[in-house]
Amino acid sequence: MTGVVLLGLVFVGQNAVNRSDEAAAAQQARFATRNLAAEIVDVSEDQRSTTIWDDAILRTKARDYEWMDDNLGIWMQDYFGHDEGYVLDRENAPIYAAILSERVAEGRYFERATLIQPMVEELRAAMAEASEGLENPYEELAELSVVAPVRFDDMSAIVSVVPIVSDTGEVAQPPGNEPLHIALQYVDTALAQRIGAPIELRDAAFGPVAPEGRRAGIAVTDASGNDIAWLTWQPEQPGTALFMQMLPILLATMVLGGLTLWWVVKRLLRLSWQLQVSEAQARFLAHHDALTGLPNRALFQDRLAQAIHSAERSDKSVALVAIDLDRFKLINDSLGHPAGDELIRQVGNRLVELVRAGDTVARFGGDEFVILLRDVADDDDLRRFCTRIVQHVSRPYELLGNTGYIGASVGAVLANSDEREPDELMRRADIALYRSKSEGKGRYSLFEAKMGKSELERNQIENDLRAALDTGTGLHLVYQPVYDETGRIKGAEALCRWDHPEHGALSPEIFIGLAEQRGLIDELGQWVLETACHFAVYTRLAKIAVNVSPLQLNHPDFVKMVLDTLRDTELAPGRLELELTEQVLLDKSVDTRDKIMQLRAAGIAIALDDFATGNSSLQYLRDYRVDSVKIDRSFVARLGNDEECDHLVQAIFDLVRAMEISVTVEGVETQMQHDRLASMGCKSFQGYLLGYPMEPSGLAQLIAKEGVEVKVPLKRAGSPNRAERQMSRKCLE
């Protein structure tokens, strides 16, 4: 009887082991199939990040190969892991090619063209059908693509072909004239590891034939259903592993067949539960952020669509809140990435604490969070919630033994009855977020209709500024002289002006701020420095002062650019003064301090502008060892009318003299102010009483009257020629 029981037990156990192994193998095959399909789809999604873009049309049409490197070729391969990229013109002829993160001759495309051409023709046919009867079908073409695995002579790859179209419709392309972008993702070990890593496939690799022996696999098929490669791996066999553990026990406990049967059943049930848990975890990770556990973009968009549909039926409002963390990069750089990850987790927890059970907090990546709010009463209700976000996120954080401080910029939009498209709501929330960041960060903005128009105007001004920098028209410098106590000119400050073709004389606060936001400040600042240095050389001016943006100082080659400019213009370092704001000194990084030390070591003077108006402290003067400070005009305006202000200015003079730092006073507009400052020991004056900002020729005449022969350049200062522009770019490179 015992033998029958044992035989039955062995039969049941072996059957359970086989079923467990088969279930695990089937589950791995399902996950691998799903991940492979996702990788195929992601290739075209990756492309759309830059092919649906006005700039992409303009730059490809202009054959801007460096731009295509940075957006359609090398950058896309480095960022998304693609291996080859090509751009075809409207005649399907190659105009750009990049392979393995290196630009190559366009002719390399013809090595692939035979097998890719049918896909190109298929896409062109679909585009023609979608464009029929439309003048500017950019929206209809944006979602079109042809993607499929293809087997070439030397390898297999996922090939995706998408059109390059406008994202706004403002850059029109007649139907049939659209360029195409082609991306190839090799079917190789790197792809196998990306597919296998999330589901822990062991020894995942691609091969040309179906797996043999104990390896498992799935086929990669082309558009015709032909197998072009196989993804294979060593399958998990939890049942077999369990059986091997059980075998000694079974042999040792033959007389305890009943107990052994119970134990086997219990273990198998536990194994089944573990498999279910693993599958649930895989489903969770597919829709949630791995770092914070919050919903990811895909799940958020699904919930947003559901919320909008529900709101339409119930006549209730939903709101979208976009959040960017201020100074997050500073935490990463100063405390390290582990601290940055911990900060992201804590921010996610704080945001979850602020919302209700029916709301959704999602992380889109980096330091970007988005919140979906249901049943929002009105704009005032939304404002109160945004205020709480700014306050809660700005509280201190304990980060691995350190204390960190950040802020939050928030943009929000309340969905109204006339606009409830998810993509449009996301766009409006992003516009409001951009407004918050442009107004100084650490605040919130609610979307208003005029913001969209304002953003278009800012984009137009940006384009005009780029054109001005490229052509050298409109931009010029004026110079405000600086006088010593005897009334002689001792130097001048260079000030940038722009005669905008449509708006006239544009405030520097507008176009310089825009240059900082849109990545043009390095080019603009370098041009200002070159032009000012040329002027100082031509006029033999003793010292020229040039303002420097904090973003310029962050450029890794800033010091080299300054020194190269001095060398090329033949201006002595001692005749240049760079004016920094207190915002630069708030960055306590070693890199900032090193750059200031390198500039001073070269003989260049460093001045602290608008001293005592922000976060000035003795610590900054001691740590950075500036050469001079400039007292802001706000103090000068109150001299003689405010005894406390008089004492404060006198104290500043006494302090900096003790530290052997020189002082220049700005905004001197009356003789009384000049005399009172002179009595305090001031030896350097700047203001309307002595001289307004003037054109180069005007200042040159003043300098000449003081007995210095001046050679004024015939070319208008502030209008760089092509050679100067090329020299500027070489300095940055």
Side-chain angles (χ1 to χ4, degrees), residues 530-549:
E530 290 176 354
T531 306
C533 289
H534 278 298
F535 176 79
V537 171
Y538 285 128
T539 60
R540 301 181 184 177
L541 187 65
K543 179 159 289 188
I544 185 71
V546 177
N547 292 280
V548 174
S549 163

Side-chain angles (χ1 to χ4, degrees), residues 321-327 383 386-391 393-394 406-412 432-446:
V321 182
I323 305 161
D324 250 14
L325 304 185
D326 305 329
R327 300 186 299 279
R383 288 189 182 95
C386 291
T387 300
R388 293 172 61 202
I389 291 177
V390 174
Q391 293 172 345
V393 173
S394 300
I406 62 168
S409 296
V410 180
L433 173 62
Y434 180 80
R435 170 63 62 87
S436 297
K437 295 173 75 70
S438 65
E439 291 182 349
K441 304 181 180 180
R443 63 194 67 205
Y444 71 86
S445 299
L446 266 60

Side-chain angles (χ1 to χ4, degrees), residues 384-518:
R384 286 190 290 271
F385 180 76
C386 291
T387 300
R388 293 172 61 202
I389 291 177
V390 174
Q391 293 172 345
H392 278 64
V393 173
S394 300
R395 298 201 320 259
Y397 296 83
E398 293 301 320
L399 305 172
L400 307 180
N402 297 285
T403 301
Y405 297 88
I406 62 168
S409 296
V410 180
V413 59
L414 185 66
N416 50 42
S417 58
D418 66 334
E419 184 52 74
R420 289 187 171 179
E421 285 296 323
D423 291 343
E424 178 61 20
L425 289 179
M426 288 296 302
R427 188 185 74 85
R428 293 183 177 186
D430 285 338
I431 290 176
L433 173 62
Y434 180 80
R435 170 63 62 87
S436 297
K437 295 173 75 70
S438 65
E439 291 182 349
K441 304 181 180 180
R443 63 194 67 205
Y444 71 86
S445 299
L446 266 60
F447 176 81
E448 301 173 4
K450 62 182 181 181
M451 287 184 182
K453 180 180 179 181
S454 175
E455 183 64 18
L456 290 176
E457 292 176 350
R458 291 175 66 84
N459 289 338
Q460 184 59 51
I461 293 176
E462 176 193 352
N463 293 335
D464 294 340
L465 181 56
R466 291 184 185 276
L469 288 169
D470 287 338
T471 62
T473 58
L475 289 169
H476 67 283
L477 297 187
V478 295
Y479 300 88
Q480 186 171 23
V482 178
Y483 291 83
D484 63 16
E485 70 275 19
T486 67
R488 291 182 63 83
I489 296 175
K490 62 183 296 186
E493 179 181 2
L495 303 170
C496 189
R497 297 292 185 262
W498 183 20
D499 296 328
H500 189 273
E502 180 178 346
H503 302 291
L506 208 59
S507 168
E509 292 184 359
I510 295 177
F511 70 84
I512 291 178
L514 187 67
E516 290 178 326
Q517 296 163 9
R518 303 299 174 90

Side-chain angles (χ1 to χ4, degrees), residues 14-88:
Q14 185 62 44
N15 184 58
V17 166
N18 292 338
R19 293 184 63 181
S20 177
D21 289 346
E22 291 170 1
Q27 177 178 272
Q28 286 186 315
R30 288 197 304 273
F31 286 170
T33 301
R34 185 175 63 188
N35 287 4
L36 174 60
E39 287 290 337
I40 295 174
V41 172
D42 284 349
V43 176
S44 57
E45 293 297 326
D46 295 344
Q47 293 172 270
R48 291 190 181 102
S49 66
T50 53
T51 58
I52 304 177
W53 191 5
D54 291 348
D55 280 4
I57 298 173
L58 299 174
R59 299 291 187 163
T60 53
K61 184 177 181 180
R63 302 297 193 268
D64 189 340
Y65 295 105
E66 290 185 359
W67 188 94
M68 287 190 274
D69 282 342
D70 294 340
N71 295 274
L72 299 177
I74 296 173
W75 172 84
M76 187 172 290
Q77 293 169 17
D78 290 341
Y79 190 80
F80 295 113
H82 299 175
D83 298 290
E84 297 184 18
Y86 306 96
V87 178
L88 307 185

Side-chain angles (χ1 to χ4, degrees), residues 223-406:
S224 301
N226 300 317
D227 296 347
I228 66 170
W230 280 80
L231 174 63
T232 67
W233 65 90
Q234 190 66 36
E236 295 291 341
Q237 294 182 308
T240 299
L242 179 62
F243 181 81
M244 297 305 295
Q245 294 175 4
M246 290 168 44
L247 186 58
I249 299 175
L250 288 173
L251 296 176
T253 57
M254 293 178 60
V255 296
L256 302 175
L259 293 176
T260 303
L261 178 61
W262 172 83
W263 184 81
V264 170
V265 171
K266 181 179 178 180
R267 292 287 291 178
L268 291 176
L269 288 175
R270 181 179 178 183
L271 176 62
S272 176
W273 176 80
Q274 289 176 339
L275 292 174
Q276 293 175 0
V277 169
S278 297
E279 188 170 0
Q281 289 176 339
R283 287 197 300 268
F284 179 85
L285 291 176
H287 296 91
H288 292 78
D289 174 55
L291 181 59
T292 62
L294 297 174
N296 59 15
R297 185 185 297 269
L299 181 56
F300 182 85
Q301 291 175 334
D302 181 62
R303 291 187 180 179
L304 175 59
Q306 294 177 13
I308 292 175
H309 180 68
S310 176
E312 289 173 344
R313 289 187 287 108
S314 61
D315 198 26
K316 294 182 178 180
S317 296
V318 297
L320 214 57
V321 182
I323 305 161
D324 250 14
L325 304 185
D326 305 329
R327 300 186 299 279
F328 172 70
K329 183 178 183 298
L330 181 61
I331 295 293
N332 254 349
D333 293 344
S334 59
L335 301 182
H337 290 285
D341 290 346
E342 176 61 22
L343 175 64
I344 291 295
R345 284 190 286 266
Q346 291 188 31
V347 170
N349 292 336
R350 291 188 186 185
L351 295 177
V352 170
E353 292 172 358
L354 293 176
V355 301
R356 301 160 298 184
D359 302 328
T360 299
V361 179
R363 179 185 179 223
F364 278 14
D367 60 349
E368 182 182 359
F369 294 84
V370 184
I371 299 177
L372 169 63
L373 300 175
R374 299 172 182 262
D375 301 337
V376 180
D378 50 30
D379 284 346
D380 289 338
D381 192 17
L382 186 55
R383 288 189 182 95
R384 286 190 290 271
F385 180 76
C386 291
T387 300
R388 293 172 61 202
I389 291 177
V390 174
Q391 293 172 345
H392 278 64
V393 173
S394 300
R395 298 201 320 259
Y397 296 83
E398 293 301 320
L399 305 172
L400 307 180
N402 297 285
T403 301
Y405 297 88
I406 62 168

Side-chain angles (χ1 to χ4, degrees), residues 57-183:
I57 298 173
L58 299 174
R59 299 291 187 163
T60 53
K61 184 177 181 180
R63 302 297 193 268
D64 189 340
Y65 295 105
E66 290 185 359
W67 188 94
M68 287 190 274
D69 282 342
D70 294 340
N71 295 274
L72 299 177
I74 296 173
W75 172 84
M76 187 172 290
Q77 293 169 17
D78 290 341
Y79 190 80
F80 295 113
H82 299 175
D83 298 290
E84 297 184 18
Y86 306 96
V87 178
L88 307 185
D89 63 14
R90 63 181 184 179
E91 303 296 335
N92 298 336
I95 62 173
Y96 173 84
I99 299 176
L100 299 177
S101 299
E102 182 178 359
R103 191 199 307 165
V104 298
E106 296 90 340
R108 293 288 297 275
Y109 167 74
F110 295 107
E111 300 174 10
R112 310 291 190 202
T114 301
L115 296 178
I116 296 178
Q117 187 60 29
M119 302 175 68
V120 171
E121 294 173 356
E122 180 181 349
L123 179 60
R124 289 289 189 193
M127 291 167 63
E129 181 178 354
S131 304
E132 187 173 358
L134 300 176
E135 293 182 1
N136 188 13
Y138 70 99
E139 292 181 332
E140 288 75 11
L141 301 183
E143 297 301 320
L144 295 181
S145 65
V146 175
V147 56
V150 176
R151 186 167 189 171
F152 298 94
D153 292 338
D154 55 338
M155 55 81 193
S156 297
I158 299 170
V159 180
S160 177
V161 188
V162 301
I164 298 177
V165 296
S166 171
D167 61 329
T168 65
E170 295 177 1
V171 180
Q173 298 184 100
N177 288 330
E178 300 87 352
L180 303 182
H181 184 267
I182 301 172

Side-chain angles (χ1 to χ4, degrees), residues 176-193:
N177 288 330
E178 300 87 352
L180 303 182
H181 184 267
I182 301 172
L184 273 69
Q185 168 66 66
Y186 293 165
V187 177
D188 57 10
T189 302
L191 179 61
Q193 292 175 351

Side-chain angles (χ1 to χ4, degrees), residues 419-671:
E419 184 52 74
R420 289 187 171 179
E421 285 296 323
D423 291 343
E424 178 61 20
L425 289 179
M426 288 296 302
R427 188 185 74 85
R428 293 183 177 186
D430 285 338
I431 290 176
L433 173 62
Y434 180 80
R435 170 63 62 87
S436 297
K437 295 173 75 70
S438 65
E439 291 182 349
K441 304 181 180 180
R443 63 194 67 205
Y444 71 86
S445 299
L446 266 60
F447 176 81
E448 301 173 4
K450 62 182 181 181
M451 287 184 182
K453 180 180 179 181
S454 175
E455 183 64 18
L456 290 176
E457 292 176 350
R458 291 175 66 84
N459 289 338
Q460 184 59 51
I461 293 176
E462 176 193 352
N463 293 335
D464 294 340
L465 181 56
R466 291 184 185 276
L469 288 169
D470 287 338
T471 62
T473 58
L475 289 169
H476 67 283
L477 297 187
V478 295
Y479 300 88
Q480 186 171 23
V482 178
Y483 291 83
D484 63 16
E485 70 275 19
T486 67
R488 291 182 63 83
I489 296 175
K490 62 183 296 186
E493 179 181 2
L495 303 170
C496 189
R497 297 292 185 262
W498 183 20
D499 296 328
H500 189 273
E502 180 178 346
H503 302 291
L506 208 59
S507 168
E509 292 184 359
I510 295 177
F511 70 84
I512 291 178
L514 187 67
E516 290 178 326
Q517 296 163 9
R518 303 299 174 90
L520 297 175
I521 191 61
D522 291 323
E523 187 174 3
L524 177 61
Q526 184 176 354
W527 173 79
V528 170
L529 179 63
E530 290 176 354
T531 306
C533 289
H534 278 298
F535 176 79
V537 171
Y538 285 128
T539 60
R540 301 181 184 177
L541 187 65
K543 179 159 289 188
I544 185 71
V546 177
N547 292 280
V548 174
S549 163
L551 296 181
Q552 287 179 265
L553 198 62
N554 288 337
H555 195 287
D557 292 331
F558 177 74
V559 174
K560 180 179 182 299
M561 182 275 291
V562 173
L563 298 180
D564 287 350
T565 300
L566 291 177
R567 182 198 63 214
D568 294 339
T569 60
E570 299 182 356
L571 180 70
R575 295 170 61 191
L576 175 64
E577 180 178 80
L578 298 181
E579 294 188 7
L580 310 178
T581 64
E582 293 173 0
Q583 182 181 353
V584 172
L585 304 189
L586 287 175
D587 182 1
K588 299 180 181 179
S589 67
V590 175
D591 182 62
T592 298
R593 187 175 305 167
D594 286 347
K595 287 177 180 176
I596 293 177
M597 291 176 61
Q598 292 173 38
L599 292 168
R600 295 188 73 242
I604 300 168
I606 302 297
L608 181 58
D609 200 8
D610 300 333
F611 183 70
T613 60
N615 297 280
S616 303
S617 75
L618 294 178
Q619 182 74 23
Y620 297 147
L621 296 180
R622 187 189 68 185
D623 289 350
Y624 289 92
R625 303 301 302 172
V626 298
D627 298 282
S628 65
V629 297
K630 301 188 74 173
I631 299 179
D632 187 68
R633 66 184 65 247
S634 61
F635 293 100
V636 180
R638 291 184 290 166
L639 284 177
N641 300 315
D642 186 336
E643 184 176 353
E644 181 179 346
C645 180
D646 288 7
H647 290 317
L648 177 58
V649 173
Q650 181 65 65
I652 293 175
F653 275 106
D654 295 340
L655 168 67
V656 296
R657 271 199 297 264
M659 301 183 71
E660 298 181 352
I661 298 174
S662 63
V663 183
T664 297
V665 180
E666 299 177 308
V668 181
E669 299 183 358
T670 68
Q671 189 63 44

